[in-house]
Amino acid sequence: MSRLIHGWEVVVGLEVHAQVATKAKLFSSSPTDFGSDPNTNVSFYDAAMPGMLPVLNGEVVNQAIKTGFGINAKINRISRFDRKNYFYPDLPAGYQISQLFYPIVSDGVVEINLQDGSRKTIGVERIHIEQDAGKSIHDLSPTCSYIDLNRSGVPLMEIVSKPDMRSSYEAMQYVKKLRAILKYIGSCECNMDRGNLRVDANVSVRKPGEPFGNRVEVKNINSIRFLGQAIDYEVERQIDVIGNGGRIVQETRLFDSSFCETRSMRSKEDAADYRYFPDPDLKPVILSDERIEKLKAEMPELPDVKHERFTKEYCLPESDADVLIEEKTVANYFEKAVKASKFKPQESAKLIANWMIVELFAVLNKNGQTIEDIEFPVEHIAKLVDLILDKTISGKIAKTVFAKVIECGDSPAKIVDDLGLVQIQDESVITSAIDKVIQANASQVEQYKAGKVQLFGFFVGQVMRELHGKGNPEMINKILQKRLP
Ligand code: ADP
Ligand code: MG
């Protein structure tokens, strides 16, 4: 069930523009490198010089097909490129090549997690291949604008959802899941800061059971947090407009993150305004069964399947699996660590997951690092967990060891040796420490005898101190219970 806001139901459909991870552009051999000097990645074709012809980059087609598999969609054996005509200074050809009538992929699904732990299926209408435009730069000079054509012709997949989302939360979950799928497949780097994943949010409101209301399209949102804010703002605005007797007009708006609001850019064009027609320079894309089968065989394990495997194979709680599968690199790190442990996965996996999610991620967050950047080899986390499981060190000492590994990069075993952190499990040593504590705290012993049982913790603490934090906690507990009168 969707939640209503002042009696209104929210309807959201998203168009996600994902830059296909290829070295060359869609129809030319220019590089797609990020951060190059302006207008250095531009061929005659990208600049729309007369007589230049497009040559389709087959790798883009392959990546789009794989993405189609990733969302369980239909791969269309025949797709075709159309010209979408409009004038813009950073679009030198005067048209964008896209696939309106015959997209390469249709009818997919993305499963998302909801707050209450249930799942919801969001439909994906289509994925089509298209070119990106260049960039106009208006803030370098007071008197003129600059054009950078480096992005002109960069390959994009436009992934168009059905209007199936009913809240900003669902929309954010959808983009997160889609991003995970694309990254697993490797069809898009999904680096939102670099603009290689951009979202247009279509938002409308209606009374439950009524037909869809007019929608507004909020363009080019480049972070998941902004997506949530833009939708929330837009919903409030639309409810307000309608509440005051107004109507929502179909239009394109932009989200201004510094004011956290959407503003009107232009009224929305219809497809007819673009005078779409088939591009006469490009043949239809016809896919053979062999090509499709070959790509299918190359598909990696996807996030949902991995999630299920992690909960079954390693007996992980759903919430741990959620976190570990989000990035393929993190999932791989986890599995390698489990393999490296000398204990069975059923014994070590949960503890390894804890150490990664709590301690390792805290360091990554603090330093703004990813798991690939950090110098914490898989073997170290496995060894740390082994040392806890075979009772060489306590969980508490393990924290000290962990911090030292981060600090100096030595292995956990070496640190335990060097600092003499091996847990004391010698019964006689523990017993004599306990006796010493009992002798030194006669009055507390009296109180304990008189029934103040909560003092037990005090004694454990004192014994631990006596043993410089290295006593085996279970043994201390057991022996203390016997020795205290
Ligand atoms: P266009 O290509 O003009 O943007 P589409 O019909 O392809 O239009 O729809 C674009 C997106 O708008 C899709 O993601 C779709 O789910 C969404 N959408 C369509 N109608 C509505 C609506 N009434 N409210 C919210 N989203 C909608
Ligand atoms: Mg659109």
Side-chain angles (χ1 to χ4, degrees):
M1 263 309 287
S2 54
R3 288 169 305 136
L4 300 184
I5 299 180
H6 313 304
W8 293 89
E9 184 181 47
V10 177
V11 177
V12 178
L14 299 180
E15 294 161 273
V16 173
H17 297 264
Q19 179 178 335
V20 185
T22 55
K23 293 202 178 73
K25 290 185 178 177
L26 179 55
F27 297 120
S28 79
S29 57
S30 314
T32 55
D33 301 345
F34 179 80
S36 305
D37 283 342
N39 297 308
T40 51
N41 298 344
V42 185
S43 67
F44 288 127
Y45 175 78
D46 307 320
M49 290 296 149
M52 295 296 118
L53 292 172
V55 179
L56 177 61
N57 180 345
E59 184 56 18
V60 177
V61 174
N62 290 347
Q63 295 289 16
I65 294 171
K66 284 185 170 182
T67 307
F69 286 134
I71 57 167
N72 262 316
K74 187 165 152 254
I75 312 298
N76 296 316
R77 300 301 159 118
I78 300 179
S79 60
R80 196 189 72 191
F81 290 101
D82 308 294
R83 289 186 182 176
K84 179 183 184 181
N85 298 283
Y86 61 101
F87 173 79
Y88 217 74
D90 55 28
L91 187 76
Y95 58 83
Q96 177 196 28
I97 300 178
S98 180
Q99 297 185 312
L100 177 72
F101 301 104
Y102 298 96
I104 187 155
V105 170
S106 34
D107 294 322
V109 287
V110 172
E111 294 248 345
I112 60 167
N113 300 324
L114 302 183
Q115 283 120 314
D116 64 4
S118 66
R119 296 188 134 221
K120 175 171 172 177
T121 304
I122 307 295
V124 175
E125 204 173 280
R126 51 154 65 214
I127 300 178
H128 60 253
I129 298 171
E130 64 182 28
Q131 303 168 296
D132 207 350
K135 195 171 157 199
S136 304
I137 300 150
H138 305 294
D139 54 5
L140 280 183
S141 155
T143 52
C144 65
S145 288
Y146 291 90
I147 308 276
D148 177 6
L149 292 181
N150 279 352
R151 291 197 67 90
S152 165
V154 161
L156 304 177
M157 291 181 280
E158 180 168 335
I159 305 165
V160 183
S161 86
K162 298 198 171 137
D164 288 350
M165 287 154 274
R166 292 291 172 269
S167 66
S168 56
Y169 181 82
E170 290 184 11
M172 292 192 289
Q173 290 296 95
Y174 170 83
V175 176
K176 276 189 200 163
K177 179 50 89 51
L178 196 59
R179 188 175 60 176
I181 293 170
L182 298 179
K183 285 184 81 170
Y184 268 59
I185 293 171
S187 57
C188 173
E189 287 172 14
C190 298
N191 194 331
M192 296 185 87
D193 295 339
R194 292 185 169 191
N196 52 39
L197 195 75
R198 310 189 302 261
V199 184
D200 298 346
N202 295 272
V203 184
S204 66
V205 296
R206 67 170 172 187
K207 291 283 181 190
E210 291 196 347
F212 287 147
N214 276 345
R215 72 187 149 112
V216 159
E217 182 179 36
V218 188
K219 278 268 183 215
N220 269 331
I221 304 169
N222 64 359
S223 99
I224 291 179
R225 188 162 56 93
F226 292 162
L227 171 66
Q229 290 172 348
I231 294 171
D232 289 340
Y233 177 88
E234 201 37 46
V235 167
E236 287 293 330
R237 189 188 69 82
Q238 292 185 15
I239 293 173
D240 238 37
V241 169
I242 301 169
N244 290 323
R247 294 183 47 244
I248 300 301
V249 283
Q250 183 167 317
E251 64 176 346
T252 300
R253 298 176 76 89
L254 60 80
F255 178 67
D256 185 332
S257 56
S258 33
F259 293 95
C260 218
E261 65 181 22
T262 68
R263 283 202 299 274
S264 184
M265 281 166 78
R266 56 171 189 259
S267 69
K268 168 114 182 117
E269 302 84 353
D270 280 319
D273 298 327
Y274 290 113
R275 297 292 185 271
Y276 278 95
F277 69 90
D279 191 302
D281 293 335
L282 286 158
K283 288 189 293 186
V285 181
I286 299 174
L287 302 174
S288 66
D289 290 347
E290 293 78 33
R291 182 168 181 183
I292 291 178
E293 287 312 313
K294 182 168 172 284
L295 292 165
K296 196 174 208 167
E298 289 172 13
M299 286 296 288
E301 182 180 43
L302 292 172
D304 285 345
V305 178
K306 204 184 276 291
H307 187 276
E308 185 167 342
R309 189 165 64 76
F310 274 24
T311 51
K312 289 214 173 105
E313 200 172 314
Y314 302 116
C315 304
L316 290 182
E318 298 260 330
S319 54
D320 285 8
D322 284 346
V323 180
L324 292 176
I325 61 122
E326 209 167 294
E327 299 276 346
K328 190 153 89 176
T329 45
V330 171
N332 289 347
Y333 184 100
F334 166 76
E335 289 206 278
K336 279 193 199 142
V338 172
K339 276 214 185 74
S341 164
K342 66 177 187 191
F343 287 87
K344 290 201 187 77
Q346 297 92 304
E347 293 167 290
S348 67
K350 174 66 184 136
L351 210 50
I352 289 172
N354 287 354
W355 278 88
M356 283 179 67
I357 294 169
V358 182
E359 304 295 333
L360 201 57
F361 283 14
V363 176
L364 297 182
N365 283 342
K366 200 177 108 209
N367 302 342
Q369 287 173 308
T370 67
I371 202 133
E372 291 129 303
D373 307 329
I374 193 172
E375 304 230 349
F376 202 104
V378 167
E379 294 72 32
H380 284 6
I381 203 129
K383 184 69 188 175
L384 191 70
V385 165
D386 283 352
L387 290 170
I388 301 170
L389 287 173
D390 68 16
K391 300 204 162 56
T392 308
I393 57 174
S394 65
K396 201 161 162 224
I397 293 288
K399 289 207 173 163
T400 313
V401 177
F402 180 87
K404 280 276 171 204
V405 176
I406 293 287
E407 194 186 302
C408 67
D410 283 344
S411 76
K414 180 169 187 315
I415 291 168
V416 169
D417 266 0
D418 288 356
L419 302 182
L421 295 174
V422 175
Q423 186 161 243
I424 297 168
Q425 311 208 61
D426 184 331
E427 194 166 332
S428 65
V429 176
I430 294 176
T431 309
S432 76
I434 287 176
D435 290 346
K436 206 164 155 193
V437 167
I438 290 178
Q439 260 171 27
N441 296 283
S443 77
Q444 279 88 345
V445 175
E446 282 312 312
Q447 290 172 42
Y448 183 80
K449 260 204 278 192
K452 202 169 171 193
V453 286
Q454 45 303 18
L455 276 173
F456 192 79
F458 162 80
F459 292 114
V460 173
Q462 292 299 307
V463 175
M464 207 40 128
R465 226 171 94 181
E466 191 65 34
L467 296 168
H468 305 288
K470 292 184 292 189
N472 175 325
E474 285 160 37
M475 290 179 73
I476 295 177
N477 266 296
K478 228 169 76 196
I479 303 171
L480 199 54
Q481 226 124 39
K482 282 193 235 149
R483 304 295 279 190
L484 277 173

